[in-house]
Amino acid sequence: MSETIARKILHIVAISISAVSPYFIPHHILVIVVGVAVPVLFFLVKYGFFIDADQGRKSWGIVYFAAVLLTLLLLFPKNNELVFFPMLVLALADGFATIVGNLFGKRTFSFGEETKSWEGSTAFLFFTILSFEIIPKFLPFIRSPFDSFSALIIVSVFLTLLEALSIKGRDNIWVPLAVAYWILLDTTFINLFSLALIVVITAIVFFTYKKRWLTSAGAVATFLLGCLLLISPEPKWIIPALFFFVAGSLISFLPKSNKEESLGGRTANQVFYNGGIATVFISVYFLTNQFMFLIGGLSALSAAMSDTSSSEIGSRYGRKTYNILTGKKVISGLSGGVSLVGMGAGFVFTALFSLISIGLMDSSSWKLFLILLISGMAGNIMDSLLGALLQVKYRSDSTAQWSDFPTESPNQEMMGFRFITNDIVNLLTTIFAAFLGLLLYNLL
C-alpha cells in the first residue's frame, strides 16, 4: 500500500489505543510513559526521522498529538472521557478522512497551503458522528457525551470545518482540544433553535465573504469563532464581537488606504490573531462562570478594536505620523507610527465598544467601563511599541522609506525580526490587553 495510507492506519491504531488507555493503565504510569514520549518524538521529528510523504516535510503532527494527550491527562486525571473522545475523534475521523480522500477524493478545495477533498471532509463528519454516538453503544465503560441530536450535529460540523482549515498537522492540536471543550461545556441548552442560529451565522459569514470582507479561509475562521460565542449559555456576547467585526471591516474599506492588507479580505490568520484570544477567554468564562475571564476576553477585543480603528483611520487621514519611540516623522501606515487622528479614532471606537459591552452586563458599572477603555487604549499603545521595536520592516536600495511589506529589490534592507509580522503583533497585543483587564478587574 502507499506510504500515506500505511501511515494513517498506524495513526488510527495508535491513537485509538491511546484513547482507551486511561481505562486500563494506572494514571501515573500513563503520564510517565507519555511524558517520556513527547521529548523523544520531538527530537526524532526535528532530526528528520518522520517525514510526511504527501507534503515532503517533517511530521510535527506526531509531536502535537502526544503533547495534547499529555495535556489532557494532566488536566483531567479523573475524567477519562475527556481523553477518550478527543483521541477517538482524532484517530478515526482524521485517519479515515485522509484515507478516503487519498483513495476516492476527486472534488478538492483549499483554504490556504493545503488541498483537501470534499470526500475526505464528508468522511471526517461521518466518523466524528460515529465516534460520539455509535461506538459508545458498544463500550460498557463510556456513554455518548451529547444528549441531543442538535448538539451532535453542531459539534460534528464544527470539528469538520476546524480540521479542513488546519494545516501542517495542527489539526492534531485543535481537534482534540475542541472536542474536550464541547464535552466540558454543558450542551443541554443546545436545541433546534441553536441550529437556526447556525443558519444565521452561515448567512452573515456568506454575505461578508461575497462582499470580500473575508477570504474563504477567513470566512471559515469567522464561522468557527462565531459558533463558540453564539452556541453558548450566553449568546449575547457575540454582539461586541460583531461590533468589532463590522466596524473594523467597514473602516478597512474606506478609500485612500495605503495598507496592503486592506486590498483584500481578512485571512484566517488575521481573524484568529485579532479575535482568537478574546474568544478563548470568553469560552473559559462559559466553562467556569468566572466573570473575570469575560472581562479578559472583552479587554482583548477592546484592544483589537482600538488598534484597528486607530491604524486604519490614522493611515488615511492622519496628516503627520511619528514613530512612537523616537518621535521622528514616518510614512503614514507604518507599524510603530502614531498620529493624533489615529489615536483619537482609537479612543472613540474603544469607548463605543466599552459602552456596548457594559450595556450587556447584568450589573454594569463605570468601573468596568474604565477597565475596558484602559485595556483597549493600553493595548493600542503596546501594539505601536511592538511594531516599532520588534516587527519586521523592509526597505529597498532605491528608496529611503521603510515598509511593513517586502520589496521586490534583491538588496532590500530589513530590520526587526522576520517572524514577527503584523499578525503576530496583533496576537501579542490582545494577550497583553486580556491579562491587563484581568489585573485591573482584580485590583479595582
Side-chain angles (χ1 to χ4, degrees):
M1 65 181 68
S2 74
E3 182 178 339
T4 297
I5 294 179
R7 183 166 52 86
K8 280 303 173 180
I9 290 175
L10 174 61
H11 169 104
I12 292 168
V13 174
I15 301 181
S16 295
I17 292 173
S18 299
V20 299
S21 61
Y23 294 96
F24 302 102
I25 300 175
H27 181 264
H28 66 282
I29 294 178
L30 197 55
V31 168
I32 292 173
V33 171
V34 181
V36 171
V38 170
V40 171
L41 289 171
F42 175 83
F43 284 106
L44 288 175
V45 172
K46 181 177 175 62
Y47 292 104
F49 190 84
F50 296 112
I51 300 295
D52 187 322
D54 292 332
Q55 307 296 329
R57 60 171 181 248
K58 297 174 181 178
S59 295
W60 286 107
I62 298 172
V63 180
Y64 299 151
F65 139 68
V68 170
L69 175 58
L70 179 61
T71 300
L72 294 174
L73 288 169
L74 292 174
L75 287 177
F76 311 111
K78 297 181 179 180
N79 196 338
N80 291 338
E81 72 172 9
L82 288 171
V83 176
F84 175 79
F85 283 110
M87 291 299 106
L88 187 67
V89 171
L90 182 62
L92 300 184
D94 184 60
F96 280 108
T98 301
I99 292 175
V100 170
N102 188 268
L103 293 177
F104 307 107
K106 295 182 179 179
R107 295 172 294 175
T108 62
F109 63 92
S110 175
F111 290 136
E113 300 178 27
E114 296 181 9
T115 299
K116 311 225 174 161
S117 70
W118 288 103
E119 291 83 358
S121 290
T122 302
F124 188 98
L125 178 63
F126 171 79
F127 280 97
T128 299
I129 296 173
L130 184 78
S131 300
F132 285 139
E133 193 65 22
I134 306 301
I135 288 180
K137 296 184 184 301
F138 298 93
L139 300 177
F141 51 84
I142 200 73
R143 62 179 293 273
S144 176
F146 305 116
D147 295 324
S148 72
F149 172 79
S150 299
L152 174 67
I153 295 302
I154 287 173
V155 173
S156 299
V157 170
F158 180 94
L159 295 171
T160 302
L161 290 174
L162 182 62
E163 190 279 334
L165 191 61
S166 301
I167 60 173
K168 298 181 180 179
R170 291 171 191 155
D171 51 339
N172 287 11
I173 302 174
W174 308 126
V175 168
L177 290 181
V179 173
Y181 169 77
W182 285 109
I183 294 176
L184 280 169
L185 188 70
D186 181 6
T187 56
T188 54
F189 66 88
I190 297 180
N191 51 33
L192 290 177
F193 179 70
S194 302
L195 290 176
L197 292 178
I198 289 292
V199 174
V200 172
I201 298 176
T202 304
I204 292 173
V205 170
F206 181 75
F207 172 80
T208 54
Y209 168 69
K210 296 300 288 185
K211 287 290 184 179
R212 298 186 179 180
W213 294 4
L214 298 165
T215 64
S216 59
V220 174
T222 302
F223 177 87
L224 294 175
L225 295 186
C227 277
L228 290 172
L229 295 174
L230 196 57
I231 308 303
S232 69
E234 298 182 38
K236 65 182 179 181
W237 293 115
I238 199 172
I239 294 175
L242 280 176
F243 175 74
F244 161 68
F245 173 66
V246 173
S249 297
L250 291 175
I251 291 170
S252 68
F253 279 89
L254 289 172
K256 299 181 181 179
S257 171
N258 62 2
K259 295 193 75 174
E260 188 171 315
E261 68 265 31
S262 296
L263 297 177
R266 295 181 184 274
T267 65
N269 280 347
Q270 289 172 327
V271 171
F272 283 132
Y273 290 162
N274 278 284
I277 295 300
T279 306
V280 167
F281 271 79
I282 297 174
S283 297
V284 173
Y285 163 69
F286 294 148
L287 294 177
T288 64
N289 204 31
Q290 294 293 316
F291 190 71
M292 66 177 183
F293 291 111
L294 175 62
I295 295 299
L298 293 175
S299 296
L301 268 183
S302 178
M305 182 76 267
S306 183
D307 173 58
T308 299
S309 56
S310 182
S311 59
E312 295 289 353
I313 293 177
S315 66
R316 289 163 171 78
Y317 307 115
R319 294 186 178 181
K320 296 180 180 180
T321 304
Y322 300 93
N323 184 292
I324 192 171
L325 290 176
T326 65
K328 294 181 179 179
K329 192 173 182 179
V330 295
I331 61 170
S332 178
L334 184 68
S335 292
V338 294
S339 67
L340 184 61
V341 170
M343 293 303 291
F347 179 85
V348 170
F349 277 90
T350 305
L352 287 173
F353 176 89
S354 302
L355 284 172
I356 291 171
S357 297
I358 67 166
L360 295 169
M361 297 177 186
D362 295 331
S363 56
S364 57
S365 69
W366 285 107
K367 182 184 80 170
L368 298 177
F369 171 80
L370 288 175
I371 290 174
L372 297 183
L373 182 63
I374 292 171
S375 299
M377 291 305 297
N380 191 349
I381 295 171
M382 177 59 70
D383 184 275
S384 296
L385 289 172
L386 292 174
L389 278 170
L390 305 178
Q391 186 173 330
V392 63
K393 297 179 182 64
Y394 304 90
R395 181 170 65 180
S396 69
D397 53 4
S398 61
T399 177
Q401 300 286 1
W402 288 95
S403 170
D404 290 345
F405 308 102
T407 69
E408 296 180 357
S409 171
N411 300 317
Q412 66 179 359
E413 294 181 63
M414 188 186 76
M415 66 176 181
F417 296 92
R418 187 183 300 274
F419 63 92
I420 299 185
T421 62
N422 185 64
D423 288 338
I424 298 299
V425 168
N426 289 338
L427 177 65
L428 295 174
T429 295
T430 54
I431 292 173
F432 166 79
F435 282 101
L436 177 60
L438 287 179
L439 178 63
L440 292 174
Y441 177 76
N442 286 285
L443 290 178
L444 298 179

